[in-house]
Amino acid sequence: MYKVKVYITLRESVLDPQGGQVKRALHTMDYKEVEEVRIGKYMELTLKNTDDVEGRIDEMCSKLLANTVIEDYRYEIEEVVPS
Amino acid sequence: MYKVKVYITLRESVLDPQGGQVKRALHTMDYKEVEEVRIGKYMELTLKNTDDVEGRIDEMCSKLLANTVIEDYRYEIEEVVPS
């Protein structure tokens, strides 16, 4: 079994209005030290054992999970041995 | 300067219908090895130097960034030395 953590972030060049709003909200709450907020997605997938996990995860990310026009993705794969 | 990575996940006991839909979509695309998908949020904050970064980040998470009734959060703080 595998546990996969997928991190999806907006590309550097893409504006993040939602992050801007969160930053403004934090300033209103007096957390003035916050200079930038960028918001992305985080997913945890549980997979049955299969061949070429890395290749398949990469495909899932590029075909469905991330919008590669505006988003970057990275992932960590961890093998879980059921006890 | 600090770079902070915040991970927000639904608590184990909370249903994740969005994750369920993504799992179904992956099955339709023939990624039948996917057993579970849980969707969370990922944020990157840039902070000016300040006292007690950890305490302030924890407050920001519990007061604004995460809904602690249904979500858990964790964070990683990295000090960035401008070159």
Side-chain angles (χ1 to χ4, degrees):
Chain A
M1 217 171 77
Y2 297 94
K3 275 262 184 204
V4 182
K5 293 174 179 175
V6 178
Y7 307 88
I8 297 170
T9 46
L10 278 176
R11 284 171 184 254
E12 271 310 318
S13 56
V14 178
L15 262 180
D16 182 357
Q18 196 190 357
Q21 286 297 347
V22 170
K23 177 184 149 182
R24 241 158 282 139
L26 288 168
H27 281 202
T28 312
M29 295 163 75
D30 239 23
Y31 297 108
K32 307 264 191 209
E33 69 268 36
V34 178
E35 291 197 322
E36 198 186 10
V37 179
R38 304 278 293 176
I39 297 187
K41 274 170 279 182
Y42 170 66
M43 299 180 200
E44 288 179 354
L45 280 73
T46 311
L47 265 70
K48 275 186 271 204
N49 283 341
T50 178
D51 290 341
D52 188 22
V53 190
E54 190 165 342
R56 290 184 64 89
I57 286 288
D58 206 273
E59 270 179 31
M60 291 181 212
C61 287
S62 60
K63 286 190 191 163
L64 182 79
L65 304 178
N67 174 352
T68 53
V69 178
I70 54 164
E71 292 170 332
D72 288 321
Y73 61 84
R74 63 192 170 83
Y75 47 82
E76 290 163 9
I77 300 170
E78 186 192 329
E79 194 165 354
V80 181
V81 184
S83 50
Chain B
M1 218 172 77
Y2 296 93
K3 275 262 181 202
V4 183
K5 292 173 180 177
V6 178
Y7 307 88
I8 298 172
T9 45
L10 279 175
R11 283 171 185 255
E12 272 309 318
S13 56
V14 177
L15 261 180
D16 182 357
Q18 197 190 355
Q21 286 297 348
V22 170
K23 177 184 147 181
R24 241 158 282 140
L26 288 169
H27 280 202
T28 312
M29 294 164 74
D30 239 23
Y31 297 108
K32 307 265 191 211
E33 68 267 35
V34 178
E35 289 197 322
E36 198 186 9
V37 179
R38 303 279 291 176
I39 296 186
K41 274 171 279 183
Y42 170 66
M43 298 180 201
E44 287 180 355
L45 280 74
T46 311
L47 265 71
K48 274 186 272 207
N49 284 342
T50 179
D51 288 341
D52 189 22
V53 190
E54 190 164 343
R56 291 184 64 87
I57 287 287
D58 205 274
E59 271 179 31
M60 292 182 211
C61 287
S62 60
K63 286 191 190 161
L64 181 78
L65 304 178
N67 174 353
T68 53
V69 178
I70 54 164
E71 292 170 331
D72 289 321
Y73 61 84
R74 63 193 170 82
Y75 47 81
E76 291 162 10
I77 300 171
E78 186 192 331
E79 194 166 354
V80 182
V81 183
S83 50

